[in-house]
Structure formats: C-alpha cells, structure tokens
C-alpha cells in the first residue's frame, strides 16, 4: 500500500508540473464505496469501489488526489481552504482546487466532512464536485464513504 501511495504522490506532483522532490504526505485515507451525485449534490447511485484520498505538500503548495481503484480521478492544487461548523457535531473543510483536464482548468470543490460524534481525526466522508470553468456552478460529483486512515 505504501509503495502505491508513493507512486500516486510522484504522479500527482509530476502531473501538476511540480517537482516530486521533498514531497510530504499530509494525510492518506482509503474508502470502500462511492456515491455518484447530481449537480445539486443529491445521490444518483452507489458504486462498490475502493480508492485513496491523498493530501500532500511540496514547495509550499498543497495538492489533493483522489483515485478510484488504481485510476487517478481528481488531482488538483489547493487554492483556498475554509473550515465551517454548521452545528456542534459537524465540521466541514471546504477546498477549492484546480485540475488540469484536456488543456482546461477545471475547478473542483472538495468537502471533507467530519461527524464529530464519531471522530474528529477521521472524516466521515469526502465529496468532490466538478464545477463549470466559466460559471463556477456545480456540474456533477462523487462522494466517498467508509473512510479509514492509511498509516
């Protein structure tokens, strides 16, 4: 598993045009199933799939990568990060990341959701919403569940 993560980290930073030297893994999680979401973040279908959500940093740049199986699906440099606490039991960290896709810069909104009644260290879920390059509106997304930390 660690070798696979190292390969993802290297690919992540090379695909973003960054040096893979001195890359620091901030956090790595695995998940056990995916839910496809519509543009309003409403569930469409559940898929039995596994993968990794990886947070890494190099040269002061934070990046996020999400795989489904061994396929890199979402990879982007983090441009902003904000924490919200809608209630006492919920913490949400919202990231705005930009992914290069077929010569276009595609905005991604990534939500790291914690159910604080369960754990303040391991997210309850992650969601990635693909946004329109022109309007910023959400187009579609996926959420990732049954999260556990990779050590």
């Amino acid at each position: 598993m660690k070798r696979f993560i190292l390969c993802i980290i290297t690919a992540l930073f090379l695909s973003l045009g960054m040096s893979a030297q001195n890359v620091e893994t901030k956090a790595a999680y695995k998940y056990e199933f995916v839910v496809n979401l519509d543009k309003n973040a409403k569930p469409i279908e559940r898929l039995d799939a596994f993968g990794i959500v990886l947070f890494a940093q190099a040269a002061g740049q934070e990046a996020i990568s999400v795989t489904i199986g061994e396929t890199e699906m979402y990879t982007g440099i983090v441009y902003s990060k904000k924490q919200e606490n809608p209630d006492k039991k919920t913490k949400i960290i919202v990231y705005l990341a930009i992914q290069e896709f077929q010569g276009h810069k595609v905005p991604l909104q990534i939500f790291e959701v914690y159910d604080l009644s369960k754990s303040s260290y391991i997210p309850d879920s992650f969601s990635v919403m693909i946004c329109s390059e022109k309007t910023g509106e959400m187009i579609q997304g996926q959420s990732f569940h049954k999260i556990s930390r990779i050590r």
Side-chain angles (χ1 to χ4, degrees), residues 3-97:
R3 180 177 287 160
F4 180 63
I5 292 173
L6 182 60
C7 290
I8 291 173
I9 291 170
T10 303
L12 164 69
F13 281 94
L14 291 175
S15 71
L16 297 173
M18 301 167 64
S19 170
Q21 295 176 332
N22 301 318
V23 174
E24 179 185 352
T25 302
K26 302 301 265 179
Y29 302 96
K30 61 183 178 177
Y31 62 85
E32 295 184 20
F33 72 91
V34 178
V35 176
N36 288 333
L37 306 171
D38 69 12
K39 67 179 184 176
N40 298 312
K42 301 287 185 224
I44 299 172
E45 67 178 319
R46 177 188 160 141
L47 306 170
D48 289 327
F50 64 91
I52 294 174
V53 179
L54 177 71
F55 293 83
Q57 187 168 348
Q61 291 270 358
E62 186 176 4
I64 299 174
S65 185
V66 179
T67 69
I68 295 180
E70 294 182 4
T71 303
E72 182 182 334
M73 292 299 294
Y74 307 105
T75 297
I77 295 175
V78 175
Y79 283 89
S80 69
K81 176 177 167 178
K82 177 174 85 169
Q83 180 176 316
E84 298 177 359
N85 294 83
D87 57 51
K88 287 191 228 179
K89 294 182 181 180
T90 307
K91 174 175 86 173
I92 302 171
I93 302 173
V94 182
Y95 301 87
L96 173 61

Side-chain angles (χ1 to χ4, degrees), residues 1 8 41 43 48 51 53 101-102 108 116:
M1 181 65 80
I8 291 173
D48 289 327
V53 179
F101 182 73
Q102 297 178 350
L108 302 174
L116 298 175

